[in-house]
Amino acid sequence: MLYAISSFLLWGLFPLYFKMLKEIPSFDIVIHRLFWSFIFLTGVLLWRRQWAWLKRAAQQPRVLLGFLLSALLLSGNWTLYVWAVNAGRIVDTSLGYFMSPLVSVLLGYLLLKERMRPLQWLAVVLALGAVLWLTIANGSLPWIGLIIAATFGLYGLLRKTAPLGALEGLSLETLMMLPLVLVFLGVDTWRGSNSFLTASPGAQLLLALSGPVTAVPLLLFAQAARRIPLSLLGLLQYISPTIQLLTGVLIYGESFAGDRAVGFSVIWLALAVYSAEGLWRFWRTRAQTA
């Protein structure tokens, strides 16, 4: 539980971190996040002498294609998230991560042919109702939350069916994005617009630290997933968007009232139904096997 709570607390505090990098364009932050994540993960792999998996993965084109797709999804998710944080849309990002578990359930039903139980259907229908309400109330789709939930849900789906663990998978994703990252950094340097070189010393340090800041919560999460029931892990994951929501409203003064509060309340009701159903099944199964 300590691993899980630590990872979700760190993810929840991300808006505070990226707000300190507001002087850097969002896309540039993601490029450096990928670059420094690769440097950090390479150091971890060297320290652990954990390279055998890379040769096996390189001999499997389907594995490489799957991780290329997951890397692109993750990069897109990061870019939108960082942009939204620095554009004063932290509350909208929290909506995406609140909806993410329900999107994952729906994707499992649509793509993996997993059976959805009645209460799971109810939770998904409530979430769709909340999206419809927010769309009508605001006059437009809550597109930030929807794209974040969809990209993170699809990323989770690809990683669920992938043969590599968290450390190896994230390392391969950053490795596959490295050529594109180096091209962007090279072009920016040639043009004299490399954000790292023109940033303040404090921003340079934060960009360099974005590697471990990105990788450490993922590694903590992977350790937690091996040690505690998924039903408990699913409940704990709401720590992150809750902190993001409170950060946006209490620290940065983002609006959270009226129609938006109603929409979020329906999402929370859907999550309560989803979580209660999962816990009930867990305890029932445990009682039957005791």
Side-chain angles (χ1 to χ4, degrees):
M1 284 188 65
L2 181 61
Y3 285 132
I5 292 171
S6 298
S7 67
F8 293 128
L9 283 174
L10 290 171
W11 276 326
L13 295 173
F14 269 14
L16 297 174
Y17 189 89
F18 291 118
K19 279 286 190 182
M20 293 188 290
L21 284 168
K22 199 169 184 178
E23 65 181 85
I24 309 295
S26 301
F27 185 74
D28 289 5
I29 292 175
V30 174
I31 291 294
H32 283 280
R33 195 176 177 186
L34 286 165
F35 176 75
W36 294 106
S37 292
F38 172 78
I39 298 297
F40 174 77
L41 292 167
T42 299
V44 173
L45 291 172
L46 284 171
W47 174 59
R48 299 182 63 173
R49 298 180 181 179
Q50 192 171 336
W51 294 105
W53 60 271
L54 186 56
K55 182 178 179 180
R56 293 194 299 269
Q59 297 170 344
Q60 302 177 66
R62 290 186 64 181
V63 171
L64 295 178
L65 178 60
F67 276 95
L68 176 61
L69 291 174
S70 67
L72 291 171
L73 283 168
L74 189 62
S75 300
N77 180 277
W78 285 356
T79 302
L80 178 57
Y81 177 80
V82 173
W83 172 83
V85 166
N86 286 332
R89 307 288 292 272
I90 298 173
V91 171
D92 291 330
T93 67
S94 73
L95 175 66
Y97 291 113
F98 275 125
M99 291 193 299
S100 181
L102 302 176
V103 169
S104 296
V105 170
L106 187 59
L107 287 173
Y109 170 77
L110 294 174
L111 301 179
L112 299 181
K113 307 305 179 184
E114 295 178 351
R115 186 174 66 88
M116 283 178 62
R117 299 181 291 273
L119 287 179
Q120 289 180 322
W121 273 113
L122 175 59
V124 170
V125 169
L126 284 171
L128 292 174
V131 171
L132 180 61
W133 167 262
L134 290 170
T135 300
I136 295 172
N138 297 325
S140 63
L141 277 170
W143 63 273
I144 294 176
L146 287 173
I147 293 176
I148 283 178
T151 53
F152 195 73
L154 287 168
Y155 174 76
L157 177 69
L158 288 173
R159 291 304 306 269
K160 177 182 174 65
T161 57
L164 298 180
L167 174 60
E168 296 89 346
L170 185 60
S171 300
L172 183 56
E173 286 166 350
T174 56
L175 176 61
M176 299 195 76
M177 295 299 292
L178 186 62
L180 186 61
V181 167
L182 292 177
V183 167
F184 276 109
L185 291 177
V187 170
D188 282 347
T189 302
W190 177 66
R191 291 178 174 176
S193 57
N194 188 311
S195 298
F196 185 85
L197 298 179
T198 59
S200 64
Q204 289 178 334
L205 178 62
L206 290 173
L207 283 174
L209 290 176
S210 65
V213 164
T214 295
V216 168
L218 285 168
L219 300 179
L220 289 171
F221 176 81
Q223 292 299 319
R226 296 189 185 100
R227 288 170 168 80
I228 63 176
L230 285 177
S231 56
L232 178 57
L233 192 67
L235 284 177
L236 292 175
Q237 75 176 339
Y238 303 136
I239 292 173
S240 176
T242 300
I243 294 175
Q244 292 176 23
L245 175 62
L246 293 174
T247 298
V249 174
L250 300 179
I251 297 179
Y252 296 109
E254 294 186 19
S255 173
F256 186 73
D259 295 333
R260 175 180 273 191
V262 172
F264 268 77
S265 297
V266 177
I267 291 288
W268 293 331
L269 176 60
L271 292 174
V273 171
Y274 169 75
S275 301
E277 194 272 349
L279 282 176
W280 176 76
R281 289 187 63 85
F282 167 72
W283 288 114
R284 191 182 71 166
T285 302
R286 187 172 182 178
Q288 290 173 347
T289 56

